[in-house]
Amino acid sequence: MNAALRKALAAAQLTETDVAAHLGVDPKTVRRWLSGQRPYPRHRWALADLLQVQENRLWSQASQPTEERAPFSEHACRVYPHRWEVPREVWHDLFSEAEQEIGILVYSGLFLADDAGILRLLEARAREGVSVRILLGDPESEPVKQRGRDERIGEALSARASNALLLFRTLLDVDGLELRTHSTVLYNSVYLTEKRLLVNQHIYGVPAAKSPVVEVNRELSPDMAETYARSFDRVWLNSNPTIPGIQTL
């Protein structure tokens, strides 16, 4: 149990529900923090600010892994030369291990949307209290069309984005799962949880499926991981919600 955090909540006269509402997380997540699970950086900063307590009083710096302590090779736990070489079980394990959040930022992500097992897994995780956020490229946006031209596949990428949107839309009635579209120029596709990230590089003229994927451990490399997480959040803030029953195409 994190006694310091529990004491700080009591001093601030805040409940688990209050904290969850302020930080935009599930109350179950706050209970896990109180039980000793370490929040990832942006939630630690927000919680310390909310409670008006220094972060190191809630989570000991001595127990905090830092990038300075991690060998250089551990910043990128694993590198796959091509996304198509990432085994399906790696994607399955990434989403299965999530306890707080799952984030998917892509242009189409059709390889996931077309996998019925992955769709069932995302639905199950959302029903278990994990926040699931999916960001797909707007099929009609110029960045998606330009990326298709860069890959010399014309309108094929827009079509893939449309198909993925239709497949992911079947999950819109699930509480805790949100689907949005974006019109952002992506330099990477990002698949994240509070524990790990898979970052698919975008290389000019090369399809994402043929581009490298880097796995990052958020505990060993918090600063590196947070760079991608913040980018995800910026795209999310500027994205368009997808509403059940309303055709967005």
Side-chain angles (χ1 to χ4, degrees):
M1 181 183 1
N2 187 330
L5 179 57
R6 190 173 295 277
K7 183 177 179 180
L9 258 65
Q13 297 184 331
L14 292 174
T15 66
E16 297 168 0
T17 303
D18 294 331
V19 172
H22 276 287
L23 271 62
V25 299
D26 192 280
K28 294 179 182 177
T29 299
V30 180
R31 286 196 286 274
R32 286 193 287 266
W33 297 342
L34 289 168
S35 297
Q37 183 180 85
R38 189 185 189 87
Y40 50 87
R42 71 174 182 275
H43 283 158
R44 292 202 304 272
W45 302 331
L47 190 49
D49 184 61
L50 173 65
L51 298 175
Q52 294 296 293
V53 176
Q54 291 185 349
E55 181 185 346
N56 61 9
R57 292 185 60 185
L58 301 175
W59 300 280
S60 169
Q61 294 296 320
S63 64
Q64 180 177 350
T66 64
E67 292 199 349
E68 287 77 12
R69 293 186 209 150
F72 177 78
S73 60
E74 291 188 12
H75 292 325
C77 299
R78 190 176 303 154
V79 178
Y80 300 90
H82 311 289
R83 194 192 69 204
W84 62 262
E85 291 190 57
V86 180
R88 182 181 182 276
E89 55 265 28
V90 171
W91 299 105
H92 189 278
D93 290 347
L94 177 73
F95 302 139
S96 295
E97 293 170 0
E99 297 178 348
Q100 299 176 23
E101 75 162 338
I102 292 171
I104 297 172
L105 170 59
V106 292
Y107 275 140
S108 77
L110 187 58
F111 74 103
L112 294 177
D114 202 31
D115 187 324
I118 292 293
L119 291 183
R120 285 197 298 270
L121 175 59
L122 292 174
E123 177 181 355
R125 304 304 292 134
R127 294 190 187 281
E128 291 166 0
V130 176
S131 170
V132 179
R133 295 184 292 168
I134 302 172
L135 278 163
L136 302 180
D138 181 344
E140 298 301 318
S141 68
E142 182 57 28
V144 172
K145 293 180 178 180
Q146 183 60 51
R147 181 65 187 179
R149 292 192 289 269
D150 293 343
E151 294 181 9
R152 299 182 180 180
I153 57 175
E155 297 298 317
L157 183 58
S158 292
R160 289 173 62 84
S162 295
N163 290 339
L165 184 57
L166 290 173
L167 290 166
F168 277 123
R169 280 176 65 88
T170 62
L171 303 177
L172 280 179
D173 291 331
V174 180
D175 289 339
L177 190 149
E178 294 184 78
L179 174 64
R180 295 186 179 186
T181 58
H182 69 87
S183 302
T184 307
V185 176
L186 293 185
Y187 301 99
N188 303 279
S189 294
V190 179
Y191 311 84
L192 63 82
T193 70
E194 76 281 358
K195 298 178 180 179
R196 292 188 290 144
L197 299 91
L198 292 177
V199 182
N200 189 181
Q201 308 300 310
H202 285 195
I203 300 174
Y204 180 77
V206 179
K210 295 182 179 180
S211 298
V213 172
V214 178
E215 180 182 333
V216 180
N217 183 304
R218 295 186 75 154
E219 184 177 18
L220 293 175
S221 302
D223 289 344
M224 180 178 179
E226 195 64 19
T227 298
Y228 292 111
R230 287 175 179 168
S231 177
F232 181 101
D233 287 339
R234 282 195 290 270
V235 178
W236 183 262
L237 289 174
N238 292 289
S239 60
N240 299 309
T242 303
I243 303 173
I246 297 180
Q247 189 61 259
T248 59
L249 304 182

